[in-house]
Amino acid sequence: MQPFTTLTGIAAPLALINIDTDMIIPKQFLKTIKRTGLGKNLFDEMRFTPEGQEIPGFVLNQPAYRQASILVTGENFGCGSSREHAPWALADFGIRCIIAASYADIFYNNCFKNGILPIVLPQAEVDKLMDDARNGANARLTVDLETQTITRPDGSTVSFEVDAFRKKCLLEGLDDIGLTLVKGAKIDTYEEATKKSQPWLFAS
């Protein structure tokens, strides 16, 4: 998993509440088990007409936000059905950080496992950052995970909280598999000792 340390990028404003996982990645795109390739289908029914034409009014179709890496959005983001394809699609599009007042629990947990930092802030702070994000090409924020701060375009900072273990995993780029591989040497030592003490367990 790509580590998350410091991110400076365009923040896109998506001022909607209760954005569910089917809005993030509609069900017809859930056939793949690959984490890549879903970015083109992110917010599909909001970004495109049924004929596949871009909807100019949608924020990620606007020139200033096509390269957005931060999303400032409404409360209860990621609600609805449980699907890991939602953070897959966001990450594949290039979104590495989401800022909202609240999230659905499963979506929130899945973000950390896929290299996305979901920041929870009081609504008043989200509103300020939403105003910053509406500045188009000037809507650049810097998110520093080590110091747990967001630097706004005017230079002021906003602090955020994050679980220490999840922070460590993001900083080091460790998903569930990575966490297991870190213990690889100890696992190998245990298996070798077990082969000697209980060889029948390894008989073919």
Side-chain angles (χ1 to χ4, degrees):
M1 188 173 74
Q2 182 181 355
F4 188 112
T5 53
T6 301
L7 171 67
T8 298
I10 297 293
L14 188 57
L16 297 173
I17 65 171
N18 301 322
I19 293 178
D20 64 33
T21 52
D22 196 55
M23 295 167 70
I24 297 171
I25 183 72
K27 58 185 178 301
Q28 62 267 31
F29 302 112
L30 305 184
K31 299 175 184 177
T32 182
I33 57 172
K34 295 182 179 179
R35 299 188 183 195
T36 58
L38 289 171
K40 64 181 181 294
N41 305 122
L42 178 69
F43 297 119
D44 186 82
E45 294 176 0
M46 302 167 74
R47 287 171 65 197
F48 304 105
T49 67
E51 295 73 34
Q53 301 299 310
E54 285 191 353
I55 299 173
F58 185 68
V59 61
L60 296 181
N61 289 339
Q62 297 170 14
Y65 300 108
R66 287 184 180 273
Q67 302 301 316
S69 56
I70 301 167
L71 195 63
V72 184
T73 188
E75 62 183 334
N76 200 29
F77 189 83
C79 58
S81 64
S82 169
R83 59 185 70 169
E84 199 167 4
H85 293 69
W88 290 357
L90 287 158
D92 192 61
F93 182 87
I95 301 296
R96 296 294 315 282
C97 177
I98 306 169
I99 301 170
S102 61
Y103 302 84
D105 287 344
I106 294 176
F107 173 83
Y108 182 79
N109 293 331
N110 281 338
C111 281
F112 286 101
K113 296 180 180 182
N114 288 281
I116 298 173
L117 172 61
I119 295 175
V120 179
L121 290 175
Q123 189 61 55
E125 297 296 332
V126 175
D127 291 342
K128 293 176 184 177
L129 296 173
M130 187 74 74
D131 287 340
D132 291 338
R134 291 190 174 107
N135 289 327
N138 295 319
R140 299 185 71 83
L141 302 176
T142 295
V143 180
D144 189 322
L145 179 56
E146 184 63 49
T147 62
Q148 297 177 205
T149 57
I150 302 167
T151 302
R152 301 174 61 195
D154 65 3
S156 63
T157 60
V158 177
S159 297
F160 62 89
E161 297 297 322
V162 62
D163 175 78
F165 176 71
R166 287 169 167 163
K167 175 180 178 178
K168 173 182 171 64
C169 290
L170 277 181
L171 286 171
E172 298 181 12
L174 298 174
D175 57 12
D176 289 348
I177 295 174
L179 285 168
T180 301
L181 293 176
V182 167
K183 306 292 186 181
K186 291 183 178 180
I187 293 171
D188 290 342
T189 299
Y190 171 81
E191 288 188 342
E192 287 302 317
T194 304
K195 285 179 182 179
K196 294 177 181 178
S197 62
Q198 304 177 65
W200 59 88
L201 295 177
F202 298 86
S204 58

